[in-house]
Amino acid sequence: MIFVDTSVWVDFFRGRVLFPISNELGEVLGFGGRILGDGEPKYLNTSETPLFIKKKVLYGLHTALKDLAKSKTVYVCEGYLDVIACQEAGLPAVAPLGTALTEEQLLKLKRYGETIVLLFDGDGAGMRAAERASVLCIELALKGEVVLLPDGQDPFEFVKEQGNEALKKFAEEQRSDVYTF
């Protein structure tokens, strides 16, 4: 028999900043939490439900739709803060939910835009994520492009150091197609 002390409640997202995760209509499906300071896991999401299936949902899609309708280009980043930084810079951006970009997510993006730009972190993990996502774009016959950020930087850090316009200019000038990448 296992005894559980129910007098002690611990917040699932303790020590994290929370981000609401919405569908395309703006309906909140769950939450993502990024740890404040050091610790693991870095990101923690609401448990999956029939409505909240991580491999099908993209953070930031609802807020990117207006700009995406104009530009027909969507930027895919790695994290919540990266999406916010890109959107503040005028780049319609989304992020998968702590998992690798999936076929389902790419096909969803194809409904809203013509070009998918992979804007992952400028580190080894970001490079591997860009390689995997590039292969998926090729397999799905999507128009994909890649932007490689300087070593070790992510879009949020880039904006913090150089500003919104610098990120927008860099992302537009450094795009190469997935085949060249």
Side-chain angles (χ1 to χ4, degrees):
M1 182 178 285
I2 299 174
F3 293 98
V4 178
D5 182 0
T6 58
S7 65
V8 179
W9 291 91
V10 179
D11 180 10
F12 182 72
F13 288 112
R14 68 188 171 281
R16 296 172 186 278
V17 63
L18 291 181
F19 299 87
I21 300 169
S22 305
N23 63 13
E24 296 91 318
L25 301 175
E27 301 165 330
V28 176
L29 303 176
F31 294 91
R34 187 189 190 288
I35 196 151
L36 296 170
D38 295 329
E40 291 295 327
K42 187 174 181 179
Y43 293 99
L44 189 61
N45 295 312
T46 297
S47 299
E48 289 201 353
T49 69
L51 293 177
F52 182 66
I53 303 168
K54 289 194 300 186
K55 69 179 185 175
K56 294 183 179 183
V57 179
L58 290 153
Y59 176 75
L61 182 56
H62 175 255
T63 53
L65 286 177
K66 183 177 148 191
D67 290 333
L68 185 53
K70 294 179 211 167
S71 71
K72 300 293 185 202
T73 299
V74 62
Y75 291 79
V76 180
C77 307
E78 289 184 63
Y80 309 120
L81 294 175
D82 298 332
V83 169
I84 293 168
C86 285
Q87 289 185 3
E88 286 292 316
L91 303 173
V94 299
L97 303 177
T99 59
L101 191 62
T102 66
E103 183 177 324
E104 292 90 345
Q105 291 166 331
L106 284 170
L107 291 174
K108 181 178 280 192
L109 291 175
K110 184 179 179 180
R111 293 193 311 234
Y112 299 105
E114 297 168 3
T115 305
I116 296 167
V117 180
L118 307 172
L119 182 59
F120 294 139
D121 297 359
D123 58 12
M127 179 69 80
R128 289 186 298 278
E131 289 170 355
R132 286 190 304 271
S134 293
V135 170
L136 264 180
C137 285
I138 292 168
E139 289 173 351
L140 296 171
L142 301 174
K143 182 179 178 190
E145 298 179 345
V146 178
V147 173
L148 297 177
L149 288 170
D151 288 340
Q153 285 196 319
D154 62 32
F156 178 75
E157 292 165 341
F158 192 100
V159 165
K160 194 165 62 172
E161 290 177 12
Q162 299 186 40
N164 289 341
E165 287 305 313
L167 177 65
K168 190 171 185 177
K169 182 178 179 188
F170 185 86
E172 290 171 354
E173 291 176 355
Q174 299 299 317
R175 288 166 41 176
S176 64
D177 69 68
V178 291
Y179 296 98
T180 303
F181 173 72

